[in-house]
Amino acid sequence: MLCVDYIIGTEVLSVETNLICLAVAIIGGLLLSRVTKRLNLPAVTAYLVAGLLMGPFCLGALGVPGLGFNSLHQVEGMSIVTQTALGFIAFAIGNEFRMGQLKTMGSKAVTIGILQAVVTTALVDVVLICLHLAFPNVISLPAAIVLGAIASATAPAATLMVIRQYKADGPLTKLLMLVVAIDDAVGLLLFSVSFGIASALESSGFSVIGVVVEPLLEIVLSIGLGALMGFFMDRVEHMFHSGSKRLAISVAFVLLTVGLSMLKFEIGGVHIGFSLLLVCMMTGTMFCNICDTSEELMERAEKWTVPINILFFVISGAELDLQVLINPLTLLVGVIYIVARSTGKYFGAYGSCRLTKCSDAITKNLGITLLPQAGVALGMAITAATLADGAIVRNVVLFSVLVYELVGPALTRMSLLKAGEIRPEGKTSSRKINEPKDPVQLH
């Protein structure tokens, strides 16, 4: 019998242990979703809580192989699952950018996407800079500036899962998907500029390449790579007629796109990289606009990716570091950050919706649906960790993600419900649907 081991950090973990752990994660998340359903909470919340319970601060701390994630190193080793899930999520969001839809609300989405992000960043910056001026020892000026930019980021994964679970549909849902996608590009640019300014304040130097050129290049190259992958995906799809083979091609291309988007290199002192979310969104956008059967393939891919998406949220829950709750300073700055960011998101969306003459249902509810925050913000926080006061940035973002991920999906559901865009959940069991109705079929 061949036993394969691999190393994560200082640990040697067997493949069978990790497979058992992943299986338990899916089953645990699904079982817990039965509880949250009775509480009228989205399934996403169940998966995140399951991750917390299985994480290294709860069941994982017992050290029983396969029962939970025994350390953060083990959780980080599951990044191939989370990156793959993010790729499929972004690919699905790209499906919303169909030309017909862009013609009806494209300009509104761009205006709202940019304005709400800028307003949120500006408000959080002002609040945290005032906190710095009043209590310089609590937070530094560079950290305050960077946190303002991180506040603009919205997590698309939780939003998409809530929409799918409740089969939400309507003007608010359609606009929300577009705004969330645009938010990623705007947030990336705001963070790059803010991080460049923060670095300049610490080093007394200013890099035009780092602040302007590199972030713009990342956005342009990500869109270009995504468009190219979407085009080639369509060309290869035309070579096959079997539904299962075309699904296999779709999955393979998304995996290839995720892998390519993670490449980083340097040319003439300029750091070149891609945004996984932007690349995969653009792949989905290009593909859905040039492929006649894209809707059918998207539906097939959605069913195929259900277990991966569950794992994504369970692993995300396990990644949440509960040690940040021990530090009173982190809690203080974290609460201020959450209040300022939530206010910025709500009123930024409210004001931009008024400006673009959206309906009252959209104007009053869009801001709440933009509160979830996770992977993109954590990625920015990791980059910001290189600052002298980077630890406070990381811990505040970890605390806010813990709060937003647990509360955000429920608030999104509530807003979509208020807007009348959530259909009642079907209570017909798939077991009964698949039961043979003709007695002859039993023989």
Side-chain angles (χ1 to χ4, degrees):
M1 178 179 176
L2 178 65
C3 180
V4 182
D5 296 338
Y6 60 93
I7 300 173
I8 298 177
T10 58
E11 301 172 75
V12 179
L13 302 169
S14 64
V15 172
E16 57 265 31
T17 298
N18 281 280
L19 286 175
I20 293 171
C21 193
L22 291 175
V24 171
I26 295 176
I27 295 169
L30 288 171
L31 290 176
L32 201 58
S33 70
R34 307 309 299 170
V35 178
T36 55
K37 185 174 183 180
R38 291 181 178 275
L39 299 174
N40 289 323
L41 292 173
V44 175
T45 305
Y47 306 148
L48 289 164
V49 173
L52 274 175
L53 295 175
M54 289 185 63
F57 302 101
C58 293
L59 292 176
L62 298 176
V64 180
L67 180 61
F69 300 99
N70 303 137
S71 69
L72 287 175
H73 286 300
Q74 185 183 0
V75 180
E76 290 165 5
M78 304 294 176
S79 61
I80 187 172
V81 177
T82 56
Q83 295 297 88
T84 300
L86 268 179
F88 278 102
I89 288 166
F91 181 70
I93 291 175
N95 187 45
E96 301 299 319
F97 283 80
R98 294 181 180 271
M99 290 307 297
Q101 199 157 301
L102 289 175
K103 287 178 182 177
T104 57
M105 57 176 61
S107 59
K108 287 185 178 181
V110 171
T111 303
I112 294 169
I114 294 174
L115 285 182
Q116 58 83 24
V118 172
V119 168
T120 302
T121 295
L123 182 59
V124 175
D125 272 341
V126 169
V127 171
L128 293 182
I129 289 173
C130 288
L131 180 64
H132 162 74
L133 294 175
F135 305 100
N137 295 329
V138 172
I139 187 171
S140 67
L141 183 59
I145 292 172
V146 168
L147 277 170
I150 293 176
S152 65
T154 297
T159 303
L160 179 64
M161 289 294 283
V162 171
I163 289 172
R164 281 180 172 177
Q165 179 186 350
Y166 295 104
K167 299 178 178 64
D169 190 28
L172 173 59
T173 303
K174 290 181 171 61
L175 181 62
L176 171 61
M177 296 297 287
L178 296 176
V179 170
V180 166
I182 292 166
D183 185 88
D184 182 55
V186 178
L188 175 66
L189 191 58
L190 288 172
F191 175 76
S192 299
V193 173
S194 297
F195 182 68
I197 294 171
S199 300
L201 288 173
E202 288 192 347
S203 62
S204 300
F206 184 81
S207 170
V208 176
I209 291 177
V211 175
V212 180
V213 177
E214 289 181 353
L216 286 176
L217 262 180
E218 182 171 339
I219 292 172
V220 172
L221 290 177
S222 295
I223 292 173
L225 176 61
L228 195 65
M229 294 303 294
F231 173 78
F232 282 121
M233 182 177 174
D234 174 63
R235 293 298 90 196
V236 177
E237 290 277 5
H238 277 81
M239 299 170 64
F240 299 89
H241 302 286
S242 164
S244 58
K245 289 179 180 177
R246 284 161 58 222
L247 173 61
I249 288 295
S250 301
V251 171
F253 260 87
V254 174
L255 292 175
L256 177 60
T257 304
V258 170
L260 291 175
S261 68
M262 296 170 72
L263 295 175
K264 296 183 185 298
F265 47 93
E266 186 176 337
I267 300 177
V270 178
H271 295 87
I272 307 295
F274 304 94
S275 165
L276 184 151
L277 288 175
L278 277 182
V279 174
C280 292
M281 274 187 226
M282 193 60 202
T283 302
T285 299
M286 174 63 80
F287 179 69
C288 77
N289 280 291
I290 62 176
C291 179
D292 295 333
T293 58
S294 61
E295 287 195 35
E296 174 207 341
L297 286 170
M298 288 288 187
E299 287 179 10
R300 285 172 173 264
E302 179 184 332
K303 294 176 182 177
W304 183 87
T305 56
V306 169
I308 298 177
N309 290 336
I310 293 173
L311 280 176
F312 171 79
F313 288 102
V314 173
I315 294 170
S316 296
E319 279 181 320
L320 298 176
D321 191 345
L322 297 182
Q323 289 181 332
V324 298
L325 301 177
I326 301 173
N327 190 338
L329 187 63
T330 299
L331 296 179
L332 171 65
V333 180
V335 169
I336 294 172
Y337 170 84
I338 289 172
V339 172
R341 179 181 180 271
S342 301
T343 304
K345 281 289 180 184
Y346 181 79
F347 286 104
Y350 186 93
S352 53
C353 283
R354 284 291 184 207
L355 184 66
T356 53
K357 298 179 180 179
C358 293
S359 66
D360 284 343
I362 293 176
T363 302
K364 293 177 181 178
N365 294 294
L366 180 63
I368 299 294
T369 62
L370 297 174
L371 292 182
Q373 190 173 47
V376 178
L378 288 173
M380 293 176 177
I382 291 171
T383 303
T386 57
L387 295 172
D389 200 16
I392 188 70
V393 175
R394 175 185 174 277
N395 290 337
V396 166
V397 172
L398 278 171
F399 173 66
S400 69
V401 166
L402 175 64
V403 174
Y404 279 126
E405 283 295 86
L406 294 176
V407 178
L411 292 176
T412 299
R413 174 188 177 276
M414 180 188 71
S415 296
L416 292 173
L417 202 58
K418 282 185 177 179
E421 298 192 6
I422 286 183
R423 303 173 189 173
E425 280 193 275
K427 296 186 178 181
T428 304
S429 171
S430 60
R431 290 178 181 274
K432 293 182 179 179
I433 291 176
N434 294 324
E435 282 179 359
K437 295 179 175 57
D438 187 348
V440 176
Q441 296 179 33
L442 296 172
H443 300 284

